[in-house]
Amino acid sequence: MPFAVTWISPEARRAAQDVLASGWVTTGHQTELFESEFAAHVEAEHAIAVSSCTAALELALRALRLPAGGAVLVPAVTFCGAAHAILHAGLRPVLVDVDPRTATPTPATVARAVVACGDPQAMMVLHYAGAPAPVAELAEAAGLPLTHVVEDAAHALGTSVGDRSVGSLSRATCFSFYATKNLPIGEGGMVTTDDAELAVRIRRARLHGMSADAWRRTLPGGRWQYTVEEAGLKANMTDVQAAIGRAQLRHFDDWQRRRHALAAQYETRLAAVPGIEPLDVPTPGRHARHLYVVRVLEEYATGRGELVDRLAGHGIGTSVHFIPLHHMPYFRRTALMPLGGLPGADALFPQLLSLPLHPLLTEQAVDRVCAELARLTPRRAAAARKQVSRPARPRSVMVHPYSEGP
């Protein structure tokens, strides 16, 4: 049972073939259509298609025009690409500790990080696993306006904070279309914003800073001349990717319903397994269910590493999201950390385990994962469980758009 499976719909395969036969395969009309349709989907004014979410984060930070070397707050538990984006934009990451129950920073951990850097210029907010993060609350704790917040929504297509879709909450939101994401293309990313000038800057910077791309120069009436006024990247999306993305987007709501149903099944079955705890949700809203992450607690009496190996031995793939940034030598050299370290991230990391979750997963497969987790529970933990009743855990309020009722 693989941890993740990528499915490219028949419509997407045909769309890619049509582009390949068209004679124009790089950034062009299909990319423009995908941008328009995606912006409407997340209720944003503008969307700019790029080569990856990492490129999207870097381009968004560059477009903020922050002072060189400026401090940018970033969760300690995130993908390394997020910190690379900050560094490649000429800025400095400041690591923010997380609450081990949610894997997300809190206003208190943000305040500690602010003390470490003195005056942050911007903040990167991650919607970890697809759970809604309290964007405005974290920005307030940092003393920053939402104009200086970039959301890392690599997991969060389909997430809402309260009743607002992720994609239009802050100055810029960055999405991923990597092979395992909720909208899989294989590679690719998108920046959404309601700021027209920011959109112009990012659109220009994604292709070397050129004033006109090849598509526009070759349109009827187009001219070959262009200029470059500031630094840019080679980070554009191709029409092949965009055509796949447009077709995949038509399946998105159905895939999300499936993810929610499977996550609900996990939650029900794992409630009976001592020492395996799903993460709490940081703030009310809609969860995108990109990942189903649990904490392997001491009560389980089998460490996360051993459990991964034992599940693999039974043919069940798992993963870990993520290795904290300060556990990597490069970021220990290049990032700032709060005085006293990052105890929340350090406590959480040995517990983190991501279970299989994707739209092609069957109910029988989820039952099998949960049964193996229950079977691998050491007898001493199960015996102790019978002696001590487990108090109910408080849960954050969630909006469930794909089922009736709360």
Side-chain angles (χ1 to χ4, degrees), residues 26 102 114 123 148-149 155 160 199 230 232 310 312 371 403:
T26 188
T102 64
V114 168
M123 168 185 272
H148 284 65
V149 172
H155 297 173
S160 69
E230 58 186 4
R310 293 174 74 176
S403 61

Side-chain angles (χ1 to χ4, degrees), residues 52-72:
S52 69
C53 186
T54 304
L57 292 167
E58 180 179 347
L59 288 164
L61 289 168
R62 284 171 174 262
L64 293 183
R65 306 281 173 82
L66 304 174
V72 178

Side-chain angles (χ1 to χ4, degrees), residues 276-353:
I276 299 292
E277 292 276 4
L279 290 172
D280 289 341
V281 178
T283 197
R286 181 178 65 228
H287 200 305
R289 295 299 181 190
H290 171 56
L291 299 172
Y292 194 84
V293 181
V294 297
R295 297 164 64 205
V296 182
L297 303 180
E298 235 176 86
E299 183 184 359
Y300 193 72
T302 296
R304 190 267 314 278
E306 181 184 348
L307 179 58
V308 167
D309 291 341
R310 293 174 74 176
L311 289 172
H314 288 84
I316 296 171
T318 58
S319 191
V320 173
H321 298 82
F322 296 99
I323 302 170
L325 296 177
H326 66 294
H327 288 204
M328 303 179 193
Y330 179 66
F331 298 117
R332 285 199 296 272
R333 296 194 304 270
T334 55
L336 287 173
M337 282 183 278
L339 189 66
L342 299 155
D346 288 334
L348 174 62
F349 174 53
Q351 302 172 342
L352 283 173
L353 181 64

Side-chain angles (χ1 to χ4, degrees), residues 152-203:
D152 182 347
H155 297 173
L157 181 56
T159 299
S160 69
V161 177
D163 60 359
R164 291 193 61 187
S165 295
V166 167
S168 60
L169 297 170
S170 60
R171 187 78 173 280
T173 307
C174 302
F175 296 90
S176 173
F177 307 126
Y178 183 67
T180 60
K181 295 300 190 285
N182 290 31
L183 188 72
I185 293 175
E187 293 288 356
M190 191 78 76
V191 186
T192 61
T193 181
D194 288 343
D195 185 322
E197 178 57 32
L198 196 79
V200 168
R201 293 177 193 169
I202 295 171
R203 197 176 301 281

Side-chain angles (χ1 to χ4, degrees), residues 89-138:
L91 305 165
R92 187 166 191 190
V94 180
L95 305 189
V96 183
D97 204 7
V98 301
D99 181 341
R101 297 168 301 177
T102 64
T104 297
T106 68
T109 64
V110 168
R112 285 183 56 229
V114 168
V115 171
C117 66
D119 185 22
Q121 297 296 312
M123 168 185 272
M124 193 180 288
V125 175
L126 170 67
H127 299 279
Y128 178 88
V135 179
E137 190 178 350
L138 296 178

